PDB file of all heavy atoms in Angstrom:
ATOM      1  N   THR A 316      62.348 215.058  57.070  1.00  0.00           N
ATOM      2  CA  THR A 316      63.029 216.285  57.493  1.00  0.00           C
ATOM      3  C   THR A 316      62.123 217.138  58.371  1.00  0.00           C
ATOM      4  O   THR A 316      62.386 218.323  58.571  1.00  0.00           O
ATOM      5  CB  THR A 316      63.467 217.103  56.276  1.00  0.00           C
ATOM      6  OG1 THR A 316      62.314 217.391  55.471  1.00  0.00           O
ATOM      7  CG2 THR A 316      64.495 216.353  55.453  1.00  0.00           C
ATOM      8  N   HIS A 317      61.053 216.551  58.880  1.00  0.00           N
ATOM      9  CA  HIS A 317      60.091 217.308  59.675  1.00  0.00           C
ATOM     10  C   HIS A 317      59.809 216.549  60.981  1.00  0.00           C
ATOM     11  O   HIS A 317      60.170 215.372  61.124  1.00  0.00           O
ATOM     12  CB  HIS A 317      58.780 217.478  58.901  1.00  0.00           C
ATOM     13  CG  HIS A 317      58.188 216.180  58.447  1.00  0.00           C
ATOM     14  ND1 HIS A 317      58.605 215.534  57.283  1.00  0.00           N
ATOM     15  CD2 HIS A 317      57.234 215.377  59.003  1.00  0.00           C
ATOM     16  CE1 HIS A 317      57.924 214.409  57.148  1.00  0.00           C
ATOM     17  NE2 HIS A 317      57.098 214.285  58.179  1.00  0.00           N
ATOM     18  N   LEU A 318      59.193 217.226  61.922  1.00  0.00           N
ATOM     19  CA  LEU A 318      58.819 216.563  63.160  1.00  0.00           C
ATOM     20  C   LEU A 318      57.808 215.472  62.875  1.00  0.00           C
ATOM     21  O   LEU A 318      56.918 215.639  62.033  1.00  0.00           O
ATOM     22  CB  LEU A 318      58.237 217.581  64.147  1.00  0.00           C
ATOM     23  CG  LEU A 318      59.198 218.647  64.669  1.00  0.00           C
ATOM     24  CD1 LEU A 318      58.436 219.642  65.555  1.00  0.00           C
ATOM     25  CD2 LEU A 318      60.336 218.009  65.462  1.00  0.00           C
ATOM     26  N   ARG A 319      57.939 214.358  63.585  1.00  0.00           N
ATOM     27  CA  ARG A 319      57.053 213.224  63.356  1.00  0.00           C
ATOM     28  C   ARG A 319      55.999 213.151  64.455  1.00  0.00           C
ATOM     29  O   ARG A 319      56.290 213.385  65.631  1.00  0.00           O
ATOM     30  CB  ARG A 319      57.851 211.916  63.357  1.00  0.00           C
ATOM     31  CG  ARG A 319      58.735 211.765  62.129  1.00  0.00           C
ATOM     32  CD  ARG A 319      59.650 210.573  62.270  1.00  0.00           C
ATOM     33  NE  ARG A 319      60.294 210.263  61.011  1.00  0.00           N
ATOM     34  CZ  ARG A 319      61.458 209.632  60.901  1.00  0.00           C
ATOM     35  NH1 ARG A 319      62.091 209.254  61.984  1.00  0.00           N
ATOM     36  NH2 ARG A 319      61.976 209.385  59.714  1.00  0.00           N
ATOM     37  N   GLU A 320      54.804 212.806  64.050  1.00  0.00           N
ATOM     38  CA  GLU A 320      53.753 212.521  65.009  1.00  0.00           C
ATOM     39  C   GLU A 320      53.652 211.008  65.179  1.00  0.00           C
ATOM     40  O   GLU A 320      53.508 210.283  64.199  1.00  0.00           O
ATOM     41  CB  GLU A 320      52.411 213.090  64.531  1.00  0.00           C
ATOM     42  CG  GLU A 320      52.394 214.616  64.491  1.00  0.00           C
ATOM     43  CD  GLU A 320      51.022 215.154  64.136  1.00  0.00           C
ATOM     44  OE1 GLU A 320      50.098 214.327  63.935  1.00  0.00           O
ATOM     45  OE2 GLU A 320      50.875 216.381  64.069  1.00  0.00           O
TER      46      GLU A 320
END
Side-chain angles (χ1 to χ4, degrees):
T316 57
H317 55 277
L318 294 176
R319 289 172 168 155
E320 294 185 0

